[in-house]
Amino acid sequence: MEQAVEVLAGDGLVALPTETVYGLAANALSELAVAKVFAVKNRPRFDPLICHVADRAGADALVDAWSEPAQILADRFWPGPLTLVVPKKPVVPDLVTAGSNTVGVRVPAHPLALHILRAFGGPLAAPSANPFTEVSPTTAAHVRAQLGDRVDLIIDGGPCVVGLESTIVMALPEHDPVLLRPGGIPLEAIEAAVGSVNVPSPTELKNASPGRQERHYAPQTPLIIESRQKPDPRVGRLAFRAAHSGYGASVCLSPQGDLDEAAARLFAAIRFLDGGGWDKIEAEPVPEKGLGRAIMDRLRRAEAKRS
Ligand code: TXA
Ligand code: MG
C-alpha cells in the first residue's frame, strides 16, 4: 500500500483492484501522470477518464454542482459500481475529461482501492486496466498479461466480485438523468431511486459519451451472439445456464441462471475461450434485466465488427 502511494505521488501508474474491474490508476490532478495512462492503454485522448475518490468529500472537491438525482444516487450507491457524470470544477484537468465541462466520479467499494485513495489523499483517474478496445481485466493476472511491465505496480486484490464496469449515469442540473453505460448497478435499482431514466439508443450514445465506441471488450477470436445451438468442434460456446455439447469447448456462466454470477464470470470466460484457438466464439444471449442488460451490452460490443 505504501509503495502504491509512493508511485502515485511520483506520477507513476498503479493497477489496482476495484469491485468492478481492475483499474489503471494515476494522480487525476497531474497531467503528466494522466498522459501516461492514455499512452499505456493506447487510448485516444477524446475518451475521458473516471475520477475515483474515497468519499463524498473527495467528490465535492471535483464537482461543481450536484443535481438532486446526483445527490440521491451518490447517497444510495456509493461506495459502489456507479459513476456519476456531473459538472466539473476547474481543478480537474481537461486531459481527464477530454475537454468536457463534466467529470465522471465514483467511490469504489473495494477495501484496497479505498485504502489507497485515503492514503493518497486525492482523486485517482482510472480507466479499466486493459489496452483500448480489449477485454477488461478481472484479476491481477489479466492485468499482467495485458499491460505487464508498462505499469509501475500491480496490486493483487483477488478476482473482482462484480466483474463488469460501473453503471454510468449523467445527472446534470436541469436535466433528466441519462444512462450512459449499463453496468454493475442495475437500471431497475437506479430508477427505483430517482424515477425513470433516459436510455439513449446506441447511436445517440456515441455522441453523448465519447468512449462508447461500438467495438469494445473484444477478444481476438470473432464473437457472435447466437441463441440457437450450432454445435461445431471448431467453435467455443459461451453458454448461460448449462454447458452445451458438440463444441470445441463450452463454458457455462451460471448453472443457477443467476445474472450477477454470470456478470462476475463473463470477462474471464471470454478470455478462456479466446485462448482456445477456436474459429469463433458463439455467445448465448441472456435475459435483459438486472445485470443481464450490462452483459448483453458487453457482448454486443465484443461482437461489433472491426472498423
Ligand atoms: O467500473 C469502472 O467504471 C472501471 C473501474 C476501474 O472503476 N472504470 C472504467 O473506466 O470502466 P473506463 O475508462 O474503461 O470507462 C469509462 C467510461 C468511458 O467510456 C468514458 O467515455 C466515460 O466513462 N466517461 C468518463 N468521463 C465521462 C464524461 N465526463 N462524460 C461522458 N462520459 C464519460
Ligand atoms: Mg474500459
Side-chain angles (χ1 to χ4, degrees):
M1 296 298 107
E2 275 168 30
Q3 210 185 325
V5 172
E6 228 173 87
V7 169
L8 292 165
D11 288 335
L13 303 185
V14 175
L16 48 76
T18 81
E19 79 280 31
T20 59
V21 299
Y22 275 71
L24 180 60
N27 179 359
L29 303 183
S30 160
E31 300 232 1
L32 178 62
V34 172
K36 288 182 190 169
V37 172
F38 282 93
V40 164
K41 271 188 67 99
N42 195 17
R43 179 174 175 128
R45 292 209 177 184
F46 58 74
D47 191 1
L49 304 181
I50 294 173
C51 290
H52 297 68
V53 293
D55 49 31
R56 189 54 188 275
D60 283 336
L62 309 178
V63 177
D64 194 43
W66 289 92
S67 66
E68 199 188 326
Q71 286 187 45
I72 294 170
L73 292 172
D75 287 344
R76 174 85 182 71
F77 296 111
W78 284 353
L82 174 71
T83 296
L84 292 170
V85 170
V86 287
K88 82 172 187 85
K89 282 188 172 152
V91 65
V92 184
D94 282 341
L95 188 54
V96 171
T97 63
S100 165
N101 54 6
T102 62
V103 60
V105 195
R106 90 175 185 102
V107 180
H110 195 289
L112 294 184
L114 284 173
H115 185 101
I116 292 171
L117 280 165
R118 288 197 196 101
F120 180 64
L124 294 175
S128 51
N130 53 283
F132 186 60
T133 77
E134 289 184 18
V135 182
S136 302
T138 52
T139 68
H142 296 162
V143 179
R144 181 141 23 118
Q146 279 174 306
L147 297 178
D149 53 13
R150 304 179 71 197
V151 297
D152 298 301
L153 184 67
I154 300 174
I155 304 280
D156 189 346
C160 301
V161 292
V162 176
L164 42 74
E165 298 82 352
S166 60
T167 300
I168 305 181
V169 175
M170 183 162 71
L172 304 177
E174 323 288 330
H175 289 86
D176 290 337
V178 180
L179 181 72
L180 295 185
R181 177 176 73 184
I185 303 277
L187 179 62
E188 292 89 332
I190 305 276
E191 293 195 319
V194 294
S196 89
V197 166
N198 242 313
V199 182
S201 71
T203 327
E204 289 171 309
L205 261 181
K206 255 193 261 177
N207 307 323
S209 194
R212 301 287 297 168
Q213 285 82 7
E214 203 131 290
R215 184 175 168 80
H216 203 161
Y217 313 105
Q220 302 300 315
T221 315
L223 181 148
I224 58 152
I225 300 171
E226 175 60 65
S227 52
R228 282 169 309 157
Q229 293 180 46
K230 296 179 170 173
D232 181 331
R234 290 180 318 252
V235 171
R237 174 78 167 169
L238 181 65
F240 176 39
R241 302 192 58 141
H244 298 153
S245 56
Y247 289 93
S250 172
V251 178
C252 160
L253 287 177
S254 173
Q256 316 312 328
D258 176 357
L259 289 165
D260 295 4
E261 181 182 42
R265 292 184 175 168
L266 178 70
F267 288 149
I270 291 176
R271 268 168 206 278
F272 171 75
L273 291 173
D274 197 22
W278 313 116
D279 288 354
K280 68 177 176 196
I281 299 169
E282 197 189 270
E284 180 181 15
V286 305
E288 290 204 55
K289 56 179 190 206
L291 291 202
R293 196 184 291 269
I295 293 172
M296 288 308 293
D297 171 78
R298 305 305 188 265
L299 288 177
R300 289 199 184 97
R301 281 162 199 290
E303 182 183 43
K305 301 281 174 296
R306 283 165 215 270
S307 49

